[in-house]
Amino acid sequence: MVGLAAVPMLAIVATPAKATADKPVIALANAYYGNTWRHQMVDAFEASAKEAKAAGKIADYVILNGDQTVAQQNSQIAELILKGVDAIAVDAASETAVNGVIEKACAAGIKVVSFDSVASAPCNYQLNFDFKGYKKDEAEWVFKKLGGKGNVLQVRGVKGSAPDNDMFNAQEVALKEFPDIKVVATVYGQATASVAQSAIANVLPSLPHIDAVLGQGGSDDFGIAQAFDQFGGVYKDKPPIIEGGGSTDFIKWWVAKSASGYTTISMNTTPGIGGAAFWLSLALVKGAEAPKLMIMPVATVTQDNLKDFADLPSGMIVSPSYSEDWVAKNLLGKK
């Protein structure tokens, strides 16, 4: 759709307003729309696009949300090439399987920025997070908090995505440094509270006592917390150390538990990257130069700054918004 709110899990293409040299059309091809993080990311892209359109900086914008399949995203990007958009921001279904159609877009003169779940096509710009670095740091914090010994439940993210692989591999590296930490089960939570809660509820009765849970964010943290609350027993008064992924519902849960001495840490990628991807795409169309790989900051909540986030609205992921000026200074300014 053009200039309208995104439709969950569907791809709808309308003819965008005609682009000119001064007023391009910028598109978003988002492979997955099934969790809070992706909803917020799309909202951030659209808010920036609306601002740019109101200011006369673009002719229009297109937002396409997929069903998590490579086939649909390939089809959507191919359609955007035919429509003649000027730039495509891609949250990719696969790091490699969409490279062919991205190369076709580049060959057609379209600027392509893959972000969050990036594609590895050499022609595209990557706007990424240091998934491996921050997830290793977060896992190590948890393991040290356990005293280097305990049973861990591992909750993976969006199956098949580059972030899931990077975060899982980072946790595996950290685990090798703590041989007395044992992973007793691994489930997929799809970075979604309800899916994570259900997956854990299904395996928890058969598991030994869980001392900590490694998650991946996107609201899985609150689903994990709810699963243990629902299970009750020893977990009622002493839940495991749950890696926070930045959901405000989890932070509120953490605040309540901290009254009894509960402590953890939360680190998350910021869905505001959708806005940054928009402004970066526009800048590239306008002729700006940028590095092929750019790294975005992550948001960190600790016991020390927990109260600063306690009053945020429910149902959100902790994230700043990223302006056109921020992109110019922090992305284009670092070559």
Side-chain angles (χ1 to χ4, degrees), residues 36-37 40-41 44 129 134 217-219 221 244-252 254 265-273 297-302 305-322:
T36 302
W37 196 99
Q40 206 168 322
M41 178 277 290
F129 297 100
Y134 95 83
S219 84
D221 49 9
S247 81
T248 54
D249 290 317
F250 176 79
I251 287 172
K252 291 178 185 299
W254 175 7
I265 188 171
S266 176
M267 301 177 74
N268 68 279
T269 59
T270 54
I273 191 176
V298 298
T300 301
V301 182
T302 67
N305 66 354
L306 177 61
K307 291 183 178 179
D308 295 341
F309 300 90
D311 295 328
L312 289 173
S314 296
M316 296 183 64
I317 305 296
V318 172
S319 179
S321 58
Y322 300 105

Side-chain angles (χ1 to χ4, degrees), residues 8 14 52 56 63 67 113 121 139 148 179 188 209 290 293 302 322 328:
I63 296 175
D67 59 4
V113 176
Y188 274 92
H209 180 79
L293 172 62
T302 67
Y322 300 105

Side-chain angles (χ1 to χ4, degrees), residues 30-306:
N30 172 42
Y32 179 65
Y33 195 64
N35 62 40
T36 302
W37 196 99
R38 291 294 182 105
H39 282 232
Q40 206 168 322
M41 178 277 290
V42 171
D43 288 346
F45 180 95
E46 184 167 30
S48 295
K50 285 182 174 179
E51 178 185 337
K53 186 175 179 180
K57 295 179 179 180
I58 63 171
D60 217 332
Y61 63 94
V62 182
I63 296 175
L64 302 177
N65 291 309
D67 59 4
Q68 200 183 330
T69 65
V70 168
Q72 187 178 57
Q73 189 166 53
N74 277 333
S75 176
Q76 288 176 339
I77 295 173
E79 191 70 21
L80 291 171
I81 295 170
L82 292 175
K83 295 293 183 184
V85 302
D86 298 279
I88 308 172
V90 179
D91 204 335
S94 164
E95 189 172 6
T96 57
V98 295
N99 285 349
V101 73
I102 286 175
E103 291 287 357
K104 290 179 181 178
C106 293
I110 298 169
K111 300 294 184 183
V112 180
V113 176
S114 64
F115 68 100
D116 174 45
S117 183
V118 298
S120 58
C123 73
N124 94 140
Y125 295 84
Q126 294 181 340
L127 181 60
N128 208 356
F129 297 100
D130 182 10
F131 290 102
K132 293 179 181 179
Y134 95 83
K135 286 311 283 188
K136 182 173 183 291
D137 289 345
E138 191 172 24
E140 288 176 346
W141 186 96
V142 170
F143 299 160
K144 290 175 182 177
K145 189 72 177 176
L146 290 176
K149 186 177 182 179
N151 293 329
V152 169
L153 173 61
Q154 205 164 19
V155 181
R156 298 191 63 167
V158 178
K159 187 177 291 187
S161 70
D164 170 66
N165 290 327
D166 284 347
M167 289 189 274
F168 175 77
N169 290 334
Q171 291 168 348
E172 292 295 293
V173 170
L175 282 163
K176 289 178 181 178
E177 298 174 1
F178 293 84
D180 293 327
I181 298 290
K182 182 181 179 182
V183 176
V184 297
T186 300
V187 299
Y188 274 92
Q190 291 294 109
T192 307
S194 59
V195 177
Q197 181 178 356
S198 177
I200 293 173
N202 286 337
V203 300
L204 201 50
S206 65
L207 299 179
H209 180 79
I210 302 299
D211 300 295
V213 184
L214 305 181
Q216 287 202 8
S219 84
D220 68 357
D221 49 9
F222 186 55
I224 294 165
Q226 287 181 306
F228 282 93
D229 282 350
Q230 182 181 32
F231 190 82
V234 295
Y235 299 122
K236 181 178 180 181
D237 297 319
K238 192 176 180 181
I241 300 172
I242 300 169
E243 273 191 350
S247 81
T248 54
D249 290 317
F250 176 79
I251 287 172
K252 291 178 185 299
W253 176 89
W254 175 7
V255 169
K257 294 293 184 182
S258 66
S260 302
Y262 183 85
T263 61
T264 187
I265 188 171
S266 176
M267 301 177 74
N268 68 279
T269 59
T270 54
I273 191 176
F278 171 84
W279 292 117
L280 176 60
S281 299
L282 177 58
L284 292 170
V285 170
K286 296 286 190 178
E289 295 183 3
K292 281 293 187 178
L293 172 62
M294 292 155 276
I295 300 296
M296 294 287 290
V298 298
T300 301
V301 182
T302 67
Q303 206 67 42
D304 292 337
N305 66 354
L306 177 61

